Amino acid sequence: MLLYILKRVLSAISVVIVTLVASFALFFLAPTDPAGVICGPRCTPERLADIEASLDLNEPPINQIGAYMKGIVVGREYSSGGTVRECAAPCLGYSYTLGQPVTKLLGAALPVTISIVLGGAVVYLVVGILTGTIAAQVRGTSLDKLVVGSTLVVQSIPYFVFALLVALYATFLPDSGYHPFTDNPLTWASGLLAAWLCVGLTNAAAYTRYSRASMIEALGQDFVRTASSKGISRRRVVYRHGLRAGLTPVVTIFGIDLAFQLTGAIFTESIFNLPGLGQLTLRAFGQYDLPVLMGGVLIGSVVLVVMNLVVDIAYTFLDPRVRLG
Amino acid sequence: MSDQSIQAPHTVSRVPRTPAANEEAYLEVSDLQVQFPTADGLVRAVQGLSYSVPLRRTLAIVGESGSGKSVSSMAVMGLHDRRVARIAGSIKVGGREIVNMSDKELEGYRGGDAAMIFQDPQSSLHPYFTIGDQIMESYRAHNNVSKRKAKDRAIDMLGRVGIPNPRRRVDQYPHEFSGGMRQRAMIAMALVNDPKLLIADEPTTALDVTVQAQILDLISDLQRDFGSAVVFITHDLGVVAEIADDILVMYAGTAIEHGPVNKILGEPLHPYAWGLLESIPALTGEPQPLHPIPGSPPSLLAVPTGCPFHPRCEFKDRVGGDLCTTLKPDLIPRTGDLGRTSRCHLKEPDKVFETEVLPRLP
Amino acid sequence: MTATTTAKSGVRSVPGAPLLELENVKMHFKTKGDGFFARGTKWVQAVDGVDLTISPGETVGLVGESGCGKSTTARLVTRLLEPTGGQIRYQGVDIAHMNERQLRPYRREIQLIFQDPYSSLNPRHTVGTIVGTALRTHDMVPKSGELKRVQELLEVVGLNPEHYNRYPHEFSGGQRQRIGIARALAARPKIIVADEPVSALDVSIQAQVMNLLESLRKELGIAFVFIAHDLGVVRHFCDRIAVMYLGRVVEEGPRDSLYEKPQHPYTQALLSAVPDIGVVRGVPPKNRIRLVGDVPSPVDPPSGCRFRTRCWKAQDICATEDPALIERAPAQRVACHFAEPPAESILAETA
């Protein structure tokens, strides 16, 4: 098991490195001019050259990647106009436009996004799995049809429209805004409530459908019939025997969904005015703020490979037939 | 590999069967109807089925797919979803009526008085729970005992069904068991509450022939110890000959022949039973051409009028008029023997069998 | 190299060679090891040294329990698998390691019928397309004559020729198996490998398909490799039968001597375990052999004789020396150090 995890971590690191190199190459091949942006409209050629030199933009891309990677592992130094700035490992560089270390920016944005996504996940898992399980048990009845119909309606509304509707009409909810959990958990929760409901309810539709399909299959299995033949209660048959088997495929989807939501909560963050990862990278994108973008890419690829690993390990606990070496 | 030593010569002898006893029936099914309304129409899966099984006896229900043999036994176990299946008639187990029993009562009945073994032990055991856990759950559903006590009981039952090293095996998962061992565990689970009625639905069909022989021996031995009534569902007449006291042959949801096994297999009186015997290749003697029954079994959405077997019956011309196509025959004694019944209009079926069918049996 | 002649179809042959000959054929599947650099990689010895000869028009049965390698052997004979060892000679020419292009003419002459008539037919194709594709693949008839030939084939297997434009789901299980047979016949094969062709069918339907196969064999002179776990079915259909256990043939012989005087303890146990309707109608056998335990894993088979762990006759020699398949009675070959016919009949004798 440990050996397996080690193997997977090694392969995960190589995936992250390949992603970084590929993104680096893509950004540099694109006809962008980061130095020009930083320099602003009243730029002198001398200042431009100085900026380019300070950002190593004159170096060949391969050296830039090398320096970047080295920065992550041992840290690096930036010299600009005679001053030298120390950037300790893990160094992801300085934002071109904000002048702050990328690690600091990410460190501020990440808790916001994680709060939104995890809180939303609690909502959609509870609502989705419960509704799906109930619908599976009453399959074919009007209640089941109502559930399936509503999920279709919710799923066919574009996400930003749904989020806007919540923001405009759900005025009884507390005002949105991010307050760190460590300051006051209550204000933290109330500021995120609208975002949680929005993420939760839209995804609940999908999870209702996954769980319903998965539970219908599980409840049709021979071992569920065996469980019924033992004389245990119907509830125990459904929630112990059926749900245990029906949930396993949902866990896989959840792991991957979570990874994508962590990197892509842009709409939610913008509409509910939460300074998370999505907002940060979106702004960086508009301003050619390469170090911040690269930081976003790094976080995204790490989250994806980690979630994949977590799903695989979770599987060994859910399904004893899966043995990881 | 087996943990047991091999004795030489390792053989078993057949225990002679007891003659039919006039014991009181433990399971009594009368005029059972099971129907499933579907979008295509009403599926008449079981129509007017009646039979009884006393304690210590084994009834084999034989038939092909769609004959209603499994559907009727699911009804006896109270396993049909009432929103899907319409059940009418009477099923009495130990004097208690099962049809229209409340859900709460059914829970006490299932797994307690009556237990079931299924065809495929691989898919019938929950892959995520240990064998011991699944047996304990069954035991604790009917006995108010501690986990410790239930586990001891599970280990004891695993030992009784011939699983070597039950103390270690009890904590293993089904996938760590071989096919035969899984079926033994399934049997242990079914018998953990000493049920008086055991329903075995094709329990050896998914197993290899040498393992099947082991399991058949085990079921016979355990029945002697537990004294239960056994309903054994199968399509294999060879298995029936080995294990059953009585046999009920089903076709298109109806019983067409019923009686002691040596009579029904030795001298069947229904053309469908003749067709089955003529379809099975023999293990000895010069191979004879098979005489299969023409056509295929009818759809349960449109069971033929009259005798359900008439479209495939080669003897229907021997019956006068259009009796076979219009009137469903009764299940009645056809010869002097009152212990056996069959459902056919043909006159003197015993003579037809003797002179025409017997000579061409494989 | 032996002189070969090449037929118009592209099939080469050595004059006088048997139709099909398996010599020491092995199929070892790799299982992924759990070690770091695939350390601990294991080999599943699914088939481990099978010898078998099939003459034109002959039917050879392969019997054995799950995991004995009979289905893998079927896939080797039809070259759906490439063996890891040994030779598969078709009319004297080794086809064991031919590539797909070289195999093409041989594929036509060796056809396969599957167990499951549900999953082996494409549900989106009509019966006419399914059988017609087989005709076209092997350039059997000109395009203009295709429909006529499809209808002929449907008639041969007992289906209504007018039903060529129906889809597989419109047929019953037995009829679907007939479609599979028609598809195999389209290529005018010399050998049909039938892997459990009737196991999925009801008893009455099973007999219909058996009779069809029997009449095809008689009328078309096709040789069969017939694989089944039902010993009655195999006995009914086959001239010669090979019993397999854990990847090896343990006994092989003509039908009558194998069923009446089996010499390998496993064959005896296997026959003794068959539930036989004869016990009701005739004289039941006095004693029956019951094997203990399960078949060992093909990953790590027992040393010497593979059956010794379940054999009541096993001695020290069985663990050290692998018994060879040698002739013990006319045409009956047995791989056992203590081979002998049973003292009493194993099967019920019909009165």
Side-chain angles (χ1 to χ4, degrees):
Chain A
M1 182 73 175
L2 271 175
L3 199 64
Y4 172 81
I5 293 175
L6 185 72
K7 249 161 101 177
R8 286 294 305 263
V9 168
L10 284 181
S11 87
I13 289 173
S14 58
V15 167
V16 171
I17 291 174
V18 168
T19 313
L20 279 181
V21 171
S23 326
F24 217 94
L26 280 174
F27 285 130
F28 273 89
L29 289 175
T32 60
D33 180 16
V37 173
I38 297 166
C39 202
R42 280 174 298 166
C43 193
T44 61
E46 294 78 31
R47 184 160 158 67
L48 191 70
D50 187 38
I51 291 171
E52 280 183 346
S54 76
L55 297 176
D56 294 336
L57 291 178
N58 299 325
E59 297 279 329
I62 188 86
N63 291 0
Q64 294 189 37
I65 296 178
Y68 185 80
M69 297 289 180
K70 195 175 149 229
I72 295 177
V73 183
V74 296
R76 65 193 281 198
E77 290 173 350
Y78 286 93
S79 53
S80 147
T83 56
V84 174
R85 283 198 288 183
E86 192 70 33
C87 178
C91 174
L92 299 176
Y94 282 86
S95 162
Y96 292 164
T97 51
L98 300 174
Q100 295 186 33
V102 172
T103 40
K104 193 181 161 201
L105 292 170
L106 291 175
L110 205 55
V112 181
T113 305
I114 290 176
S115 300
I116 299 171
V117 169
L118 288 186
V122 171
V123 175
Y124 66 70
L125 284 181
V126 171
V127 174
I129 291 174
L130 216 63
T131 324
T133 307
I134 292 168
Q137 286 181 74
V138 298
R139 178 152 74 119
T141 62
S142 35
L143 177 61
D144 178 39
K145 281 173 189 150
L146 181 73
V147 168
V148 174
S150 345
T151 61
L152 276 175
V153 169
V154 172
Q155 285 196 302
S156 58
I157 302 174
Y159 180 69
F160 64 91
V161 174
F162 193 90
L164 274 173
L165 288 176
V166 171
L168 289 176
Y169 289 96
T171 46
F172 50 87
L173 293 174
D175 285 339
S176 274
Y178 186 73
H179 317 283
F181 180 80
T182 43
D183 292 359
N184 182 349
L186 264 180
T187 51
W188 169 79
S190 72
L192 289 163
L193 197 59
W196 286 345
L197 279 181
C198 193
V199 172
L201 292 181
T202 44
N203 283 294
Y207 276 81
T208 300
R209 291 161 69 87
Y210 299 149
S211 321
R212 181 181 172 274
S214 187
M215 278 303 284
I216 285 175
E217 202 197 319
L219 291 177
Q221 297 283 332
D222 287 351
F223 54 76
V224 168
R225 189 184 55 185
T226 309
S228 307
S229 80
K230 290 176 170 183
I232 53 179
S233 69
R234 180 72 195 158
R235 189 186 298 159
R236 194 173 164 87
V237 170
V238 172
Y239 289 96
R240 181 173 144 91
H241 292 260
L243 200 57
R244 181 73 203 275
L247 268 192
T248 312
V250 176
V251 167
T252 317
I253 303 174
F254 174 60
I256 303 305
D257 267 7
L258 205 59
F260 277 103
Q261 285 163 3
L262 279 172
T263 53
I266 291 177
F267 279 128
T268 322
E269 289 171 9
S270 308
I271 289 168
F272 297 103
N273 193 28
L274 300 163
L277 211 55
Q279 285 216 39
L280 184 69
T281 41
L282 192 65
R283 192 199 53 78
F285 196 79
Q287 300 176 334
Y288 305 121
D289 196 344
L290 189 64
V292 175
L293 278 177
M294 288 298 293
V297 168
L298 181 70
I299 294 269
S301 56
V302 167
V303 162
L304 261 175
V305 292
V306 166
M307 285 317 294
N308 263 314
L309 184 60
V310 167
V311 165
D312 285 352
I313 293 172
Y315 240 96
T316 60
F317 290 103
L318 287 172
D319 188 343
R321 288 172 299 182
V322 182
R323 284 273 170 269
L324 306 175
Chain B
M1 240 168 76
S2 156
D3 306 28
Q4 283 159 280
S5 61
I6 307 156
Q7 306 93 0
H10 191 84
T11 56
V12 293
S13 299
R14 260 191 85 74
V15 180
R17 220 171 258 126
T18 48
N22 276 333
E23 280 179 276
E24 202 185 322
Y26 184 73
L27 166 66
E28 196 160 13
V29 176
S30 331
D31 197 26
L32 179 69
Q33 317 269 347
V34 184
Q35 301 177 336
F36 301 95
T38 67
D40 299 324
L42 190 63
V43 174
R44 293 185 166 83
V46 178
Q47 299 186 65
L49 181 68
S50 305
Y51 64 84
S52 62
V53 192
L55 294 175
R56 282 178 290 281
R57 274 184 90 77
T58 301
L59 171 77
I61 302 185
V62 178
E64 298 181 275
S65 34
S67 63
K69 57 187 194 303
S70 285
V71 172
S72 61
S73 308
M74 294 274 284
V76 172
M77 275 302 285
L79 278 176
H80 283 300
D81 185 342
R82 285 180 192 164
R83 287 167 306 191
V84 181
R86 282 190 207 155
I87 301 172
S90 159
I91 300 167
K92 282 207 168 111
V93 179
R96 285 202 296 162
E97 179 62 53
I98 303 305
V99 178
N100 299 327
M101 207 182 226
S102 76
D103 284 348
K104 198 78 218 143
E105 281 178 298
L106 266 182
E107 279 167 23
Y109 159 74
R110 283 198 295 249
D113 297 331
M116 192 157 179
I117 312 170
F118 299 95
Q119 172 171 346
D120 186 355
Q122 163 109 48
S123 62
S124 298
L125 287 167
H126 203 298
Y128 299 169
F129 301 125
T130 62
I131 294 286
D133 194 4
Q134 299 187 49
I135 299 176
M136 284 158 64
E137 183 180 39
S138 219
Y139 191 55
R140 296 186 75 204
H142 300 274
N143 299 278
N144 192 12
V145 293
S146 67
K147 278 198 168 171
R148 186 65 254 159
K149 271 220 168 75
K151 188 159 184 184
D152 287 343
R153 172 77 178 168
I155 292 168
D156 177 45
M157 286 307 296
L158 288 177
R160 283 184 79 171
V161 298
I163 289 179
N165 217 339
R167 253 171 217 292
R168 185 169 59 86
R169 293 297 219 155
V170 75
D171 291 322
Q172 290 185 335
Y173 290 94
H175 72 268
E176 296 172 88
F177 278 51
S178 70
M181 286 296 157
R182 271 195 286 257
Q183 195 59 296
R184 284 175 193 268
M186 188 86 208
I187 293 171
M189 190 164 88
L191 295 181
V192 73
N193 295 313
D194 294 317
K196 292 255 179 325
L197 171 64
L198 179 68
I199 296 174
D201 187 356
E202 306 251 10
T204 59
T205 306
L207 304 176
D208 275 322
V209 63
T210 59
V211 180
Q212 165 169 285
Q214 295 171 0
I215 298 292
L216 290 179
D217 289 347
L218 178 69
I219 292 177
S220 297
D221 291 349
L222 290 172
Q223 183 188 22
R224 217 173 310 129
D225 299 351
F226 285 73
S228 25
V230 174
V231 175
F232 197 105
I233 301 157
T234 180
H235 67 278
D236 188 330
L237 291 176
V239 169
V240 173
E242 300 269 343
I243 196 148
D245 302 308
D246 302 296
I247 172 171
L248 179 86
V249 184
M250 286 190 74
Y251 185 80
T254 312
I256 55 110
E257 192 145 26
H258 185 196
V261 71
N262 52 348
K263 296 270 177 62
I264 305 295
L265 293 184
E267 191 202 9
L269 300 177
H270 195 284
Y272 174 64
W274 298 341
L276 285 183
L277 288 182
E278 288 177 278
S279 298
I280 304 169
L283 283 167
T284 49
E286 187 58 31
Q288 303 292 319
L290 303 174
H291 287 272
I293 306 165
S296 16
S299 156
L300 296 173
L301 285 165
V303 178
T305 56
C307 169
F309 186 62
H310 83 257
R312 302 174 76 190
C313 184
E314 63 170 310
F315 295 94
K316 69 166 178 284
D317 301 338
R318 310 274 186 92
V319 178
D322 50 4
L323 213 51
C324 290
T325 54
T326 54
L327 183 70
K328 184 171 174 177
D330 288 324
L331 189 66
I332 47 166
R334 303 277 302 140
T335 56
D337 188 351
L338 293 178
R340 58 177 307 186
T341 52
S342 120
R343 196 189 285 277
C344 181
H345 290 304
L346 193 62
K347 288 209 172 53
E348 298 189 317
D350 46 343
K351 294 224 169 77
V352 179
F353 177 75
E354 207 78 37
T355 54
E356 295 178 49
V357 182
L358 193 57
R360 66 181 193 198
L361 281 188
Chain C
M1 186 160 173
T2 343
T4 58
T5 57
T6 307
K8 201 170 65 188
S9 61
V11 171
R12 286 183 296 136
S13 57
V14 178
L19 182 62
L20 186 75
E21 216 177 355
L22 273 63
E23 192 186 310
N24 196 20
V25 169
K26 292 183 180 176
M27 187 74 225
H28 295 185
F29 294 102
K30 201 171 170 179
T31 62
K32 228 180 125 196
D34 31 18
F36 198 63
F37 294 103
R39 242 185 310 131
T41 295
K42 286 175 179 155
W43 295 90
V44 178
Q45 305 180 11
V47 170
D48 193 46
V50 162
D51 297 324
L52 207 63
T53 309
I54 294 131
S55 314
E58 192 187 26
T59 54
V60 176
L62 285 183
V63 295
E65 299 180 284
S66 36
C68 72
K70 55 190 195 299
S71 282
T72 306
T73 308
R75 271 151 186 75
L76 288 167
V77 169
T78 46
R79 269 306 315 279
L80 294 175
L81 289 174
E82 185 175 344
T84 48
Q87 288 200 336
I88 302 172
R89 287 190 294 269
Y90 184 76
Q91 294 176 358
V93 177
D94 187 10
I95 61 167
H97 305 289
M98 280 187 177
N99 63 31
E100 214 35 62
R101 196 181 49 78
Q102 293 168 314
L103 270 177
R104 239 184 110 88
Y106 297 90
R107 289 231 183 277
R108 189 180 77 76
E109 308 213 343
I110 310 172
Q111 289 284 316
L112 182 64
I113 302 174
F114 299 91
Q115 168 175 2
D116 188 358
Y118 294 82
S119 59
S120 57
L121 300 174
N122 187 335
R124 287 190 189 80
H125 286 174
T126 63
V127 171
T129 315
I130 290 168
V131 180
T133 305
L135 288 172
R136 241 169 295 138
T137 310
H138 302 292
D139 295 322
M140 299 307 294
V141 286
K143 184 87 187 135
S144 57
E146 194 178 296
L147 178 62
K148 190 164 157 282
R149 178 69 185 142
V150 166
Q151 291 187 319
E152 270 173 29
L153 284 165
L154 291 181
E155 203 155 8
V156 167
V157 298
L159 291 171
N160 186 338
E162 299 307 313
H163 290 173
Y164 68 90
N165 54 4
R166 295 198 176 181
Y167 289 89
H169 72 263
E170 297 176 74
F171 294 87
S172 69
Q175 288 173 321
R176 262 177 270 197
Q177 193 55 288
R178 288 172 192 267
I179 298 167
I181 295 169
R183 175 172 62 184
L185 290 179
R188 294 187 193 275
K190 287 195 179 142
I191 298 185
I192 288 182
V193 179
D195 188 3
E196 302 268 9
V198 296
S199 325
L201 307 174
D202 272 324
V203 180
S204 68
I205 309 299
Q206 180 172 317
Q208 295 173 0
V209 174
M210 297 263 296
N211 279 359
L212 169 65
L213 291 174
E214 183 106 38
S215 69
L216 293 176
R217 176 177 71 130
K218 283 194 182 128
E219 284 160 27
L220 305 174
I222 300 170
F224 274 87
V225 178
F226 192 93
I227 293 158
H229 66 273
D230 186 322
L231 289 149
V233 165
V234 170
R235 178 177 185 272
H236 185 84
F237 193 70
C238 301
D239 308 320
R240 211 147 50 75
I241 290 141
V243 181
M244 290 184 73
Y245 185 80
L246 217 54
R248 297 255 172 95
V249 171
V250 294
E251 181 160 10
E252 190 225 316
R255 179 188 66 214
D256 290 344
S257 51
L258 193 94
Y259 277 73
E260 278 154 31
K261 294 198 165 43
Q263 299 209 11
H264 197 286
Y266 178 64
T267 316
Q268 294 171 357
L270 198 62
L271 282 168
S272 187
V274 180
D276 186 8
I277 193 170
V279 299
V280 166
R281 297 216 303 272
V283 186
K286 277 205 209 100
N287 291 307
R288 340 193 81 189
I289 303 155
R290 286 290 184 265
L291 290 182
V292 178
D294 298 300
V295 183
S297 159
V299 173
D300 187 19
S303 64
C305 171
R306 296 187 162 199
F307 183 60
R308 69 175 168 85
T309 54
R310 301 172 77 196
C311 183
W312 61 97
K313 285 184 176 175
Q315 305 286 330
D316 292 346
I317 184 180
C318 301
T320 52
E321 215 168 291
D322 198 355
L325 194 64
I326 46 175
E327 190 157 317
R328 298 274 187 170
Q332 187 173 359
R333 299 189 298 157
V334 189
C336 176
H337 295 299
F338 303 101
E340 56 175 350
E344 302 163 330
S345 173
I346 283 175
L347 301 167
E349 283 162 57
T350 321

